[in-house]
Amino acid sequence: GALLALSKPPGLPVLGRPGDLSLDALLPALRRRLGLAAELHVVKAPAREYSGLVLLSSCYHTTKKLQQFFTNARWRGQYPATYRAVTVGVPADVEGEIRTGLCWQQQGDRGVVVPVPAPGRRSLARKDVKSTLTRYHVLGAMGGCALLQLQPRTAFPEQLQVHLTLLLCPALGDHEHSSRVGRVLGVPFFLTPETAPTRTQVLDEELVSRLGLSPRQLHHLPLHIHLQELVLP
């Protein structure tokens, strides 16, 4: 019918400035190639750094109806989106939930997303902080890494990356938040964003060798979070 699904590579933004490469800028060419009469709209797509399922529609009303469905599903306590992630480290529990407040914090000339473990009612009411929840399940583990299924109940920028650092298992290729997980004698612990400046993810030599990368190539390693599945009404 009106729906079209495709897979997005990591690093491609949904929206971009005029002249920049983005999913939105590619839609007219895609429409011509498929011979569609109507304009394509983005119903749901993963964030720039993520890879995975992009849902498009050639019907404006279908687009709005589905977007409202996703919003309502989260309000009802459902999990319409399922992600997969490769993590550096294996969670202590096979499954569970990560609950925390999240907010934007200014650090120098840039804004970063930071956790607020016990947000107050006033900060939540003012929407300075948003209460967030992600359900996770370990699908497999090997060589100090794990494959996780992630189901966010809420939507906040970089929510999944921050939640994985709170599990002390940052996503592979997360050069933004992984520095918040430190290690002493091999035991991981959480560092505050103020004491953990952003840097290229540090991986042990064995993992770098298994990935077939040189130390200089590490900063090109993409974020391993993938939108795997969307539930439709």
Side-chain angles (χ1 to χ4, degrees), residues 18-225:
D20 288 351
L21 181 64
S22 67
L23 177 63
D24 187 62
L26 294 170
L27 293 183
L30 180 63
R31 172 188 169 189
R32 289 192 298 271
R33 178 173 292 188
L34 296 176
L36 299 176
E39 183 180 351
L40 285 169
H41 307 277
V42 178
V43 179
K44 183 81 172 174
R48 175 182 187 144
E49 299 82 5
Y50 300 176
S51 61
L53 180 61
V54 172
L55 188 63
L56 305 172
S57 171
S58 58
C59 171
Y60 177 81
H61 295 293
T62 299
T63 300
K64 291 302 176 186
K65 184 176 180 180
L66 286 174
Q67 288 175 340
Q68 190 61 51
F69 165 77
F70 290 128
T71 300
N72 293 343
R74 288 196 297 266
W75 277 106
R76 290 194 297 266
Q78 298 171 344
Y79 297 83
T82 299
Y83 293 77
R84 297 281 172 91
V86 177
T87 63
V88 180
V90 181
D93 298 318
V94 174
E95 60 183 7
E97 293 181 342
I98 309 116
R99 295 174 180 266
T100 188
L102 291 179
C103 73
W104 286 100
Q105 186 179 92
Q106 196 69 24
Q107 290 187 5
D109 59 351
R110 59 194 294 271
V112 296
V113 179
V114 298
V116 182
R121 290 183 179 180
R122 289 184 180 180
S123 60
L124 291 171
R126 292 195 306 264
K127 298 185 178 180
D128 296 334
V129 179
K130 180 170 181 177
S131 181
T132 61
L133 168 65
T134 300
R135 187 165 63 186
Y136 76 90
H137 179 76
V138 179
L139 300 173
M142 183 181 291
C145 293
L147 177 66
L148 267 61
Q149 175 178 286
L150 301 171
Q151 292 180 301
R153 165 85 180 276
T154 52
F156 196 89
E158 303 174 21
Q159 173 178 321
L160 296 181
Q161 295 105 293
V162 177
H163 282 189
L164 288 174
T165 64
L166 291 174
L167 277 181
L168 303 179
C169 299
L172 182 65
D174 184 355
H175 308 298
E176 183 73 23
H177 302 279
S178 61
S179 59
R180 299 180 192 175
V181 179
R183 289 182 181 274
V184 173
L185 300 177
V187 179
F189 64 96
F190 187 76
L191 291 162
T192 62
E194 296 81 10
T195 60
T198 297
R199 63 165 188 245
T200 300
Q201 188 173 32
V202 177
L203 303 175
D204 62 46
E205 292 182 7
E206 182 183 350
L207 180 54
V208 173
S209 175
R210 284 164 55 203
L211 290 168
L213 299 173
S214 71
R216 291 184 178 181
Q217 293 173 314
L218 270 180
H219 69 279
H220 292 301
L221 185 67
L223 182 66
H224 282 55
I225 298 180

